[in-house]
């Protein structure tokens, strides 16, 4: 048992070391950023971290919240694992952190919503509030909605609303192909597309509804061959990351001539791996690089540039999450409105809040905690120095607006039945 | 028709790339009995090295230099790592390469970061060579095919026609006997390990830009390469070739079919109730089984014919 | 007086690929007999053992143990029918202790099967029997030593110990004294005599001293065939046997 | 009596006391996870250490245990079969056992490398199935449940982490005792024999396929219990639990701890879990340190930490260990010099390449410095070189001293 | 040429060679007799570096104990193992080519010589060696070693399991080898050849040399034969 004692001692010292810093730092309001910082998805989490850090620095330099209290982003690496996220959540709570934010992985978000709900129920005096900036499973603000969860990204159905609106207005499209990753999100995309196309353009034929294994396909040519065989004029895909890049590359190579409506063609790291295959792809986002040019707001362009200078690594990883700025600005408002940093008060202050962002007016749903925001369909084309001024990730291709869905038009029927404390 | 021809060509390209990777592994296994878990990591390193070199000296230099560097690295791993653990047996060797794979991935993260690299097909090879029916066939695909066929031919000639090749083949059966005839077997081992790694590196150089160069590329391809050498018969090059093409064809063609068990039952006029037992099972389509097939094939093969298609012995 | 046959080989053949190793062997070993098989290197002696014990499948022919056909059975099934064998190259459970080795060899015959609800430490009879065997082989002082650390002679002795522990009626010993010194060999012979008391013993051996000391009958295996089976004296004076061993002597 | 059960009683006492000392939520989580990891690693060692079967797919049974347990919890909550939470791990265990039967029957027909490859194939097969069968596996989101069941044997609600910890600790004691006892059964001993010499085992009457198969199935049972406990602890189970990564973790922890002794996996699970959970918040280079530890163990201590301890036991018992201690301390000092040098090197590199603000100073051991300046590089490389050159003669001395003491010990034995 | 002094060798724990002393002079045929399992093959393997030798092995005045086997081969020792180790998937010609150590060095034995001695090998030169008969394989192994142009060749039980006709061929080959100035160590169990062609004899028993002398001396010493060789 000698060794056990030794280990116990070691454990004790390290645990003390790890926790000792919590005693001193009551001053700033800390927000735990729980996302992958290592492993295969580390780059995505890293970029998110930088976005939040940049916004926190900006807010702090403008005077902080609640009359001078600073914001601090505390990163926690969850390796995009639900289990590790729960461990990190406990870790954050132990350190006295009451606000968490996360975005990558529906599995992680689902686990966190559940865990926060249970924690708050079991520890009403130590409640925690969770801001979701990117996990888009509709259920999180519908049947699984929870008072302690706010979402700042448009969910699948909302984005599909924007895409199908755009397709509706393009009469030349009468055959659509759906290709998605074989998991919950991909299935949600496919289901939404089928439902909405049927409502809006019953004449359109769905000529393919393919699910491929997520993250396992090395070469999409067989799939592209199949799309080609179907004769589709438009393809809708929810693919992201490598699955998007590889699909894009195969499409370009085979010379497939169809309109690609994607969720994440501009997703972090995707353009740089696709290179010239970016040309012509469409994406749905709440913000894009050339919005400031199109709407002639040089101030916003400056904001984008100042981020890229600090964290953009020479334009390789530029500002991407338009909504993180929105979220942080609304958070400042909510703190100030609530007059305290109590999660419950902040949550109530956030409900129904309206805000004008650099991409339009947004509203936080009071009933379901889902942010309503305008959505843009943009198409990647070669930069021309004029309207297509900025490219993504030094590819030479930048987005240009093709269609816009207004804030209120993105709303979908809500099935949320929230219990409030 | 178009679909079949294109798919056949695609299977051929992917299959030959797979063969280039697995040929090195199968030689290493055949000679030393080492299942090299880090083999796919050398493939990944090949892509990263090529990216780095092509930044300074262009793709064509990288095509030559990167595999050589990987080969030297592989030789060093054999000389200073594997030889040390050899006395602890095959399990220790296997675990050593397991740890090595882990470390290589971590070092790649450290040096090149977590973002997928912008390693693109060189512009001199970035055009369409011919149009088949309605589809473009990119020249780079043909280039990959040419390189891998070239490698196959070179490897075949090297192994059957040269003195070194004969020594290597002989070492597959009686390494001691080869040593006794005055050939330095440890050096041969080092050479084969280095050569096998170089082949993996070359696959990385030409595959990395075509597919994607990211820290997860080793994990993605690693297990498949194992499947190839098991199905082909451990230590058999011909087997590895057949298995590579087989797996590539299976995976490519599976995509084309969206039949499920429901359709099968429909043939017999059986209809499932609204809530069948195991609802998922009936809905699985052939096209979704792509990732499953190689492993299924491998397990079945190990049960029915553990030697593999062309193997002459069990592990 | 009729002799009961314990082990009966009828026209046994074995080929590996193209090469025929055993070319038709007939051999009947009587119950209670001590039988030695000798022959020059490469004659196929070990192969015969491997065929009898089920290690290799037969190419042709038939092997009976107590009138029951055993070819085609798995080694463990043959063992359960009462036939046990040792190996030419020491073949022990290397990381286990001497005591544990013997106990493992006893487990099946003592009827424990694959039980995982009984503790071996509490099986009184089993442990006593094990101890008895360990004592018989003069190894009580090494009882807890891992067998990998034993001397060669001790390992060879234990090899025999494990073979006989299960109480098999027919015992095959493959070169039990190979690599032993003179005095060690003598001890080993005594041991073999002792443990094979009342049992059927078949032994492959090179040391002629051992063979003549031990065997009731000897079979000479040359080039995959038995060229003679007889009592030791007759074998000694058999010309073709000497030839097989030393070449054609008259030419010298 | 005390000698026989002393270790177990002490272990139980420690398990009772530990969460009283380290009572933060994170500490409780870590302790719970350690206990689960111990069960999982011990079950893995039934394969690797006891049976000589190198499996790359043990997490399959862990995962099935978890999934079935969480489904069972949901069934209980939906008013199905009333099972108290205390017994849910048993459900997980049975699930692991039942799944281990067909998979084990197939894979244990082979041994060695072929077995390892089959296990690799099977785990990939199961992982591929996860996405094909979403109604069971819950897709990538997984399945969640609420462990606060109506039924309880003890009347405890299991809302708080500490209550769950005690449940896990209880199962840890029960299962590790059972697994220890299993090594003492005829099957356990035959598994050892088959591991040591699969050629000989049939000739003492055993069907080696069945021995491996039974051992495999039992090991699946205990892995399933560990999985069930994990499901209770996190109240969510998803595909990461069943995949190759989880199998890799248990292999690493078991091997680092040492497969040759029963307590090896226990040491390995504690150390590995501890490092795994804490390093991530201390340094970005956690994976590198774990990887280096693993490779060092493979190269120089193939019997793991337990092996290191056990080779010293004879010297300890002979009272000679004292002669080695000063040498060890010197070696430790030199080793630390190398380690710190390497660590600085790793940390500055990670800081430069992965930190979000590489220009900001880095803090190590209370010292703040800029990673992109040259002094830390010189210091670290200098430390590595100095330590390395110190270490060589020291290691030689240790070897000499070791031989000397061993001779002395043997003399003592025969005297 | 070769001087072995107090050579010990072990397999695991078993002490196979227990202090062997043996000498081979230039151009001599020395025969090493003894029953199976007394350590004759181990003796050759220890000289060749295939088994770790303890003791001195002097070859042309240089201690070669502890060198790797390929280095020993390069010094000029060849070994024809009892189990032959032919490379079954290679052709007969390739097997022979493998025996060549140094392509530049002029060898005593050219391919033509070999083919002249054994025309059957030429006839089958393109055949996979695994398809040869036992006797042909034995020829091949010996010739393969000769291709490496050894100054000393150790041949382990070359006549084992061969038909008498082929035994005669082997005997002729050994004489031919000696004629070209190569020293030979012939390991045998049968006395037939050994007595006919050997200059000197050693008899081994239980890991030691128990007799040393000329064939004539051996003939006179019936007790050695009885105790160490006969049935």
């Amino acid at each position: 048992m000698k060794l056990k004692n030794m280990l116990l001692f070691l454990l004790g010292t390290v645990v003390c070391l790890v926790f000792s810093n919590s005693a001193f730092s009551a001053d700033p309001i800390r927000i735990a950023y729980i996302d992958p910082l290592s492993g295969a998805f580390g780059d995505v989490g890293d970029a998110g971290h930088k976005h939040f850090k940049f916004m926190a620095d900006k807010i702090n330099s403008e005077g902080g919240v609640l009359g001078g209290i600073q914001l601090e982003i505390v990163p926690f690496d969850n390796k995009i694992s639900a289990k590790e996220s729960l461990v990190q959540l406990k870790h954050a709570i132990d350190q006295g952190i009451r606000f968490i934010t996360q975005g990558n992985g529906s599995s992680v978000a689902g686990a966190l919503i559940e865990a926060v709900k249970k924690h708050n129920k079991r520890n009403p005096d130590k409640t925690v509030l969770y801001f979701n900036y990117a996990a888009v499973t509709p259920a999180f603000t519908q049947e699984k909605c929870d008072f302690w969860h706010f979402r700042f990204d448009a969910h699948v159905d909302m984005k599909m609303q924007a895409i199908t609106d755009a397709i509706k207005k393009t009469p030349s499209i009468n055959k659509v192909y759906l290709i998605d990753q074989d998991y919950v999100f991909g299935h949600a995309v496919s289901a939404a597309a089928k439902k909405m196309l049927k409502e809006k353009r019953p004449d359109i034929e769905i000529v393919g509804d393919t699910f491929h294994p997520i993250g396992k396909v090395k070469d999409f040519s067989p799939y592209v061959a199949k799309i080609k065989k179907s004769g589709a004029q438009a393809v809708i895909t929810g693919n992201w990351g490598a699955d998007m890049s590889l699909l894009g590359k195969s499409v370009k190579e085979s010379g497939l001539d169809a309109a690609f409506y994607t969720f994440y063609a501009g997703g972090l790291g995707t353009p740089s791996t696709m290179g010239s295959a970016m040309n012509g792809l469409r994406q749905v986002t709440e913000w894009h690089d050339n919005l400031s040019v199109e709407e002639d707001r040089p101030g916003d362009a400056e904001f984008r540039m100042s981020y890229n200078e600090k964290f953009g690594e020479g334009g390789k990883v530029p500002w991407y999450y338009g909504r993180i700025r929105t979220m942080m600005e609304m958070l400042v408002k909510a703190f100030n409105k609530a007059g305290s940093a109590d999660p419950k008060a902040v949550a109530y202050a956030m409900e129904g809040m309206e805000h004008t962002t650099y991409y339009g007016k947004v509203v936080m749903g009071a009933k379901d905690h889902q942010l309503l925001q305008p959505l843009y369909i943009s198409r990647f084309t070669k930069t021309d120095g004029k309207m297509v001024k900025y490219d993504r990730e030094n590819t030479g291709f930048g987005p240009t607006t093709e269609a816009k869905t207004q804030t209120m038009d993105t709303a979908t029927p809500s099935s949320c039945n929230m219990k409030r404390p | 028709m178009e679909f079949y021809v294109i798919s056949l060509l695609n299977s051929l390209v992917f299959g030959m790339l797979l063969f280039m990777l697995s040929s090195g592994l199968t030689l290493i296994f055949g000679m030393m009995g080492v299942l090299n878990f880090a083999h796919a990591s050398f493939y990944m390193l090949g892509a990263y090295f090529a990216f780095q070199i092509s930044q300074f000296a262009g793709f064509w230099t990288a095509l030559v230099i990167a595999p050589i560097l990987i080969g030297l690295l592989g030789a060093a791993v054999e000389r200073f790592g594997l030889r040390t653990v050899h006395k602890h047996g095959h399990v220790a060797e296997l675990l050593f390469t397991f740890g090595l794979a882990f470390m290589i991935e971590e070092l790649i993260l450290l040096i090149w970061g977590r973002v997928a690299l912008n390693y693109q097909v060189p512009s001199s090879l970035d055009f369409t060579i011919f149009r088949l029916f309605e589809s473009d066939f990119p020249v780079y695909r043909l280039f990959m095919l040419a390189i891998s066929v070239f490698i196959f031919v070179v490897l075949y000639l090297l192994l059957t026609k040269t003195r070194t090749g004969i020594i290597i083949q002989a070492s597959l059966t009686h390494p001691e006997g080869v040593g006794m005839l005055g050939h330095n077997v440890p050096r041969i081992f080092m050479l084969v390990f280095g050569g096998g790694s170089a082949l993996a590196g070359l696959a990385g150089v030409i595959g990395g830009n075509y597919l994607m160069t990211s820290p997860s590329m080793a994990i993605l391809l690693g297990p498949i390469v194992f499947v190839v050498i098991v199905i082909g018969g451990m230590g058999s090059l011909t087997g590895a070739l057949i298995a590579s093409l087989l797996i590539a064809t299976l995976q490519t063609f599976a995509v084309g079919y969206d039949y499920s068990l429901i359709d099968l039952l429909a043939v017999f006029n059986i209809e499932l109730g609204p809530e069948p037992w195991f609802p998922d099972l009936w809905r699985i389509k052939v096209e979704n089984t792509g990732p499953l097939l190689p492993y299924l094939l491998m397990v079945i093969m190990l049960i029915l014919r553990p030697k593999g298609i062309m193997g002459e012995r069990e592990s | 007086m009729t002799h009961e046959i314990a082990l009966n080989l009828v026209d046994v053949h074995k080929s590996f690929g193209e090469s025929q190793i055993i070319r038709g062997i007939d051999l009947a070993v009587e119950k209670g007999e001590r039988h030695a098989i000798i022959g020059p290197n490469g004659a196929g002696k070990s192969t015969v053992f491997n065929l009898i014990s089920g290690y290799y499948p037969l190419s042709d022919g038939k092997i009976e143990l107590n009138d029951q056909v055993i070819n085609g059975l798995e080694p463990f099934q043959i063992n359960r029918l009462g036939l046990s064998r040792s190996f030419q190259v020491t073949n022990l459970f290397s990381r286990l202790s001497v005591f544990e080795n013997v106990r493992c060899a006893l487990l099946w015959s003592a009827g424990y099967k694959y039980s995982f609800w009984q503790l071996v430490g509490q099986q009184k009879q089993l442990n006593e029997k094990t101890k008895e065997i360990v004592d018989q082989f003069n190894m009580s002082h090494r009882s807890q030593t891992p067998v990998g650390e034993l001397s060669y002679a001790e390992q060879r002795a234990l090899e025999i110990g494990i073979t006989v522990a299960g109480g098999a009626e027919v015992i095959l010993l493959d070169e039990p004294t190979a690599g032993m010194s003179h005095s060690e060999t003598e001890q080993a012979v005594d041991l073999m005599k002792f443990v094979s008391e009342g049992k059927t013993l078949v032994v492959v051996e090179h040391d002629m001293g051992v063979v003549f000391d031990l065997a009731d009958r000897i079979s000479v295996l040359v080039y995959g065939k038995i060229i003679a089976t007889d009592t030791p004296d007759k074998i000694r004076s058999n010309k073709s046997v000497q030839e097989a061993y030393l070449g054609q002597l008259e030419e010298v | 009596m005390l000698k026989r059960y002393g270790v177990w009683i002490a272990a139980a006492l420690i398990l009772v006391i530990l969460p009283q000392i380290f009572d933060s939520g994170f500490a409780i989580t870590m302790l719970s996870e350690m206990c689960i990891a111990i069960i999982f690693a011990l079950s893995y060692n039934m394969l690797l250490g006891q049976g000589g079967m190198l499996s790359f797919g043990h997490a399959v049974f862990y995962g099935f245990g978890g999934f079935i347990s969480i489904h069972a919890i949901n069934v209980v909550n939906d008013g199905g079969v009333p099972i108290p939470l205390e017994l849910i791990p048993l459900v997980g265990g049975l699930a692991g056992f039942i799944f281990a039967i067909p998979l084990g029957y197939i894979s244990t027909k082979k041994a060695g490398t072929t077995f390892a490859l089959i296990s690799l194939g099977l785990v990939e097969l199961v992982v591929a199935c996860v996405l094909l069968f979403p109604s069971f596996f819950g897709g990538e989101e997984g399945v969640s449940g609420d462990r606060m069941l109506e039924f309880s044997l003890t009347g405890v609600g299991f809302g708080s982490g500490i209550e769950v910890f005690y449940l896990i600790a209880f199962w840890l004691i029960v299962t590790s005792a059972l697994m220890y006892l299993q090594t003492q059964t005829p099957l356990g001993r035959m598994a050892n024999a088959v591991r040591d010499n699969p050629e000989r085992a049939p000739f003492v009457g055993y069907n080696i396929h069945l021995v491996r198969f039974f051992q495999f199935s039992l090991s699946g049972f205990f892995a399933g219990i560990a999985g069930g406990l994990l499901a209770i602890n996190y109240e969510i189970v998803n595909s990461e639990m069943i995949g190759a990564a989880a199998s890799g973790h248990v292999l690493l922890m078991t091997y680092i701890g040492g497969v040759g002794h029963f307590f090896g996996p226990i040491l390995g699970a504690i150390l590995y879990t501890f490092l795994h959970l804490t390093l991530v918040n201390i340094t970005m280079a956690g994976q590198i340190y774990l990887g280096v530890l693993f490779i060092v163990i493979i190269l120089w201590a193939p019997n793991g930490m337990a092996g290191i301890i056990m080779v010293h036991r004879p010297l300890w018992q002979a009272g000679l260990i004292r002669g080695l201690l000063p040498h060890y301390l010197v070696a430790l000092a030199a080793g630390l010099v190398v380690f710190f040098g390497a660590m600085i090197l790793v940390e500055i590199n990670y800081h430069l390449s992965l930190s979000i603000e590489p220009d900001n100073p880095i803090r190590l051991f209370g010292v703040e410095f800029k990673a992109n300046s040259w002094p830390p590089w010189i210091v670290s490389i200098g430390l590595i070189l100095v330590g390395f050159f110190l270490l060589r003669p020291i290691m030689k001395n240790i070897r000499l001293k070791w031989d000397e003491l061993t001779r002395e010990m043997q003399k003592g034995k025969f005297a | 040429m070769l001087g072995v002094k107090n050579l010990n060798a072990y397999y695991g724990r078993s002490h196979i060679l227990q202090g062997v002393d043996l000498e081979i002079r230039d151009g001599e045929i020395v025969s090493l007799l003894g029953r199976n399992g007394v350590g004759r093959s181990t003796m050759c393997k220890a000289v060749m570096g295939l088994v770790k030798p303890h003791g001195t092995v002097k070859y042309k005045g240089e201690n070669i104990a502890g060198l790797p086997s390929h280095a020993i081969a390069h010094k000029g020792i060849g070994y024809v193992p009892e189990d032959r180790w032919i490379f079954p998937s290679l052709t007969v010609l390739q097997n022979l080519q493998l025996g060549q150590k140094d392509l530049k060095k002029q060898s005593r034995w050219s391919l033509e010589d070999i083919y002249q001695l054994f025309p059957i090998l030429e006839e089958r030169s393109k055949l996979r060696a695994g398809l040869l008969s036992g006797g042909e394989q034995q020829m091949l192994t010996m010739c393969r070693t000769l291709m490496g142009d050894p100054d000393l060749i150790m041949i382990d039980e070359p006549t084992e399991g061969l038909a008498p006709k082929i035994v005669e061929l082997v005997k002729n080959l050994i004489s031919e080898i000696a004629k070209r100035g190569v020293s030979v160590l012939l390991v045998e169990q049968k006395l037939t050849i050994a007595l006919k062609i050997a200059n000197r004899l050693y008899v081994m028993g239980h890991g030691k040399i128990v007799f040393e002398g000329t064939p004539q001396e051996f003939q006179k010493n019936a007790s050695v034969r009885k105790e160490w060789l006969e049935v």
Side-chain angles (χ1 to χ4, degrees), chain A residues 125-420:
Chain A
D125 52 331
K126 275 199 283 185
T127 52
V128 171
L129 194 53
Y130 165 32
F131 305 113
N132 165 2
Y133 73 89
V136 292
T137 306
F140 295 160
T141 47
Q142 303 225 337
E143 57 273 20
K144 281 190 191 164
C145 69
D146 188 63
F147 176 77
W148 303 102
H149 164 256
F150 285 89
R151 172 152 62 189
F152 291 84
D153 194 2
H155 62 64
V156 173
D157 291 356
M158 299 163 82
K159 289 183 178 176
M160 191 55 75
Q161 194 86 289
I163 290 176
T164 46
D165 279 351
I167 291 179
K168 188 177 160 190
K169 289 173 203 146
T170 321
S172 63
I173 298 176
N174 47 41
K175 280 179 178 172
V176 173
Y177 196 100
L178 310 174
I179 176 165
D180 290 291
Q181 293 151 322
D182 195 3
Y183 78 112
V184 185
F185 166 69
H187 283 275
V189 172
S190 156
K194 278 186 279 192
K195 185 167 155 267
M196 291 180 191
L197 282 176
K198 202 174 171 190
E199 282 165 12
K200 293 177 191 171
R201 282 280 304 276
D203 61 309
I204 283 184
E205 188 193 347
I206 308 281
V207 289
D209 183 12
T210 295
F211 296 101
H212 64 79
I214 173 174
K216 286 255 160 69
V217 180
K218 288 154 290 281
D219 182 3
F220 272 90
S221 332
Y223 292 95
V224 173
K226 203 175 166 192
I227 296 174
K228 195 140 208 185
K229 196 173 145 199
S230 75
Q233 294 105 356
V235 179
I236 302 177
T237 177
N239 280 12
W240 48 267
D243 287 334
M244 184 64 236
S245 306
L246 292 170
L247 177 62
K249 281 182 160 194
S250 289
V251 167
K252 183 203 143 203
E253 270 179 358
S254 71
L256 173 63
D257 185 29
F260 262 74
Y261 289 90
T262 78
F263 276 51
Y264 298 113
L268 274 168
T270 311
S272 67
T273 44
M274 265 201 277
S276 58
M278 284 297 287
N279 196 9
L281 298 184
R282 293 166 172 83
Q283 64 166 356
V284 53
T285 46
E286 74 284 351
W287 170 92
H288 67 76
D289 296 88
N290 290 311
L291 211 54
S292 56
V293 187
E294 288 166 5
E295 299 186 354
D296 194 24
R297 283 199 304 262
D300 294 342
E302 230 167 75
F303 169 83
R304 178 187 174 283
M305 291 310 286
S306 60
Y307 173 85
N308 288 0
E309 253 166 51
K310 180 141 197 232
F311 290 128
E313 294 179 31
K316 272 193 288 181
V317 249
W319 178 260
Y320 170 71
Y321 295 108
R323 51 194 178 267
I324 285 183
R325 181 173 175 189
T326 309
M327 172 181 149
M328 291 300 276
E329 285 171 357
M330 288 178 80
L331 192 57
V332 172
K333 262 184 159 176
F335 275 129
N336 291 338
K337 188 175 158 200
S340 86
D342 173 49
K344 194 160 99 179
V346 173
Y348 276 116
M350 192 72 96
E351 288 189 335
M353 179 184 286
E354 293 187 13
H355 183 63
T356 308
T357 69
Y358 58 143
Y359 48 80
K361 251 181 94 170
V362 302
V363 189
M364 175 52 79
K367 260 184 68 191
D368 56 3
H369 293 188
Q370 169 67 47
L371 187 74
L372 294 182
Q373 51 193 347
L375 287 173
Y376 296 84
I377 303 281
S378 56
R379 191 160 69 91
F380 284 94
T381 52
K382 231 180 169 66
T383 47
D384 56 7
K386 286 173 272 176
M387 289 310 269
V388 193
K389 192 172 175 189
Y390 303 112
D391 68 346
R392 267 219 86 74
E393 303 183 5
N394 298 343
T395 51
F397 294 92
T400 172
T401 305
E402 226 180 37
K404 178 180 180 184
T405 301
Q406 297 298 337
T407 309
M408 287 333 228
D409 294 341
T410 63
T412 55
S414 177
S415 57
C416 171
N417 182 17
M418 194 181 285
K419 284 194 203 101
R420 283 148 206 284

Side-chain angles (χ1 to χ4, degrees), chain C residues 28-103:
Chain C
V29 181
E30 288 164 13
K31 235 171 219 171
E33 180 188 353
R34 293 193 184 116
H35 195 104
I37 300 176
I38 64 171
N41 247 0
K45 289 163 296 184
S46 289
T47 309
V48 171
F49 269 24
N50 285 334
L51 292 173
I52 298 173
S53 60
Y55 198 71
Y56 294 151
L58 242 59
S59 300
D60 199 8
K62 174 171 90 164
I63 300 176
E64 290 172 333
L65 178 69
N66 297 327
D67 296 330
Q68 186 182 350
V69 177
I70 57 168
N71 48 287
L73 294 184
E74 294 283 323
F76 62 89
Q77 292 170 318
I78 295 172
N79 178 274
R80 290 174 195 175
L81 291 173
L83 182 142
S84 183
R85 68 164 292 189
S86 78
F87 287 80
Q88 186 179 351
V89 179
T90 306
N91 214 346
L92 302 168
F93 306 118
S94 51
R95 284 196 266 167
L96 306 183
S97 68
V98 170
F99 188 83
E100 211 56 73
N101 264 275
V102 175
R103 188 155 65 181

Side-chain angles (χ1 to χ4, degrees), chain B residues 162-204:
Chain B
T162 70
R163 206 172 144 73
T164 317
I166 295 172
I167 297 175
I168 291 173
Q169 277 201 61
S171 306
L172 289 173
T173 38
H174 298 298
E176 275 197 325
V178 178
M180 210 175 63
L181 293 173
H183 307 293
N184 190 342
V185 175
R187 207 176 61 201
I188 303 272
F189 278 4
M190 196 166 86
L191 189 80
V192 169
F193 202 93
S197 310
L199 279 182
L202 180 61

